[in-house]
Amino acid sequence: MTVVASKRKRRPRHARDQPVKVATSDKAAASFVRKCLDHLVQEGFAVDVELTPDIVFVDKVPQDALALTMWSEDFPEISTICVLEGLPDETLRRVLAHEVIHCVQYVQVGTRKGGGLGSGHGRDFEEMAACLNDELGDDFVTATYDDSYVRP
């Protein structure tokens, strides 16, 4: 198993168990995720920790998804975004922006007692998506993947 290099000494167990592969666009992906996070924080979607998600490129994700985000209360600053490898750049950016919202949601929910993420695509998701769409373009971030998302 190949694991994306991380500056952190320990990754959440569920992230270590995923089959991952380093992609050539990992630096560009990390830069784009940082840009999205910074924009959300600047616009008032603050989180209590310095959130720095890891991005791993995988050969499969559950169901028909293009990506998923994993998070643990034990490591609130670490989210892991698992992205299906081979996505075209535009689709990759849209998927990453979508998953960044889930990273923020997990930290926000994790700091509230009894909070639950639910479907993850409710009012708070829509508000953050609208914020990113103001910056990145109409319907750049959507709650579900439609035909405009190109699969590998």
Side-chain angles (χ1 to χ4, degrees):
M1 173 169 45
T2 305
V3 178
V4 173
S6 174
K7 293 178 184 171
R8 286 179 275 302
K9 293 182 180 180
R10 184 171 171 201
R11 298 166 55 87
R13 179 168 175 70
H14 56 271
R16 291 193 310 265
D17 293 342
Q18 293 293 318
V20 298
K21 179 180 176 183
V22 176
T24 57
S25 61
D26 59 346
K27 288 183 182 178
S31 175
F32 180 73
V33 165
R34 179 84 271 150
K35 175 183 172 182
C36 291
L37 280 168
D38 289 347
H39 183 71
L40 288 173
V41 169
Q42 181 182 17
E43 294 299 317
F45 296 99
V47 292
D48 294 336
V49 296
E50 178 61 34
L51 184 57
T52 307
D54 283 332
I55 304 163
V56 295
F57 293 83
V58 298
D59 56 3
K60 63 181 178 177
V61 290
Q63 302 163 350
D64 255 353
L66 298 176
L68 61 90
T69 297
M70 297 182 292
W71 180 81
S72 167
E73 287 184 54
D74 295 334
F75 303 95
E77 71 284 0
I78 303 173
S79 291
T80 302
I81 301 173
C82 298
V83 183
L84 191 61
E85 66 183 344
L87 294 176
D89 285 346
E90 184 70 7
T91 297
L92 175 61
R93 288 168 32 95
R94 293 180 72 194
V95 167
L96 288 171
H98 176 111
E99 296 303 323
V100 162
I101 294 172
H102 291 315
C103 291
V104 173
Q105 286 179 310
Y106 281 128
V107 171
Q108 289 175 340
V109 168
T111 59
R112 294 191 307 253
K113 287 187 178 178
L117 197 54
S119 74
H121 300 107
R123 184 180 55 84
D124 59 335
F125 180 93
E126 292 297 330
E127 288 174 0
M128 286 185 263
C131 177
L132 288 177
N133 286 337
D134 287 345
E135 178 77 9
L136 301 170
D138 291 343
D139 294 325
F140 189 84
V141 181
T142 58
T144 58
Y145 304 132
D146 59 28
D147 291 339
S148 67
Y149 286 82
V150 179
R151 293 178 177 275

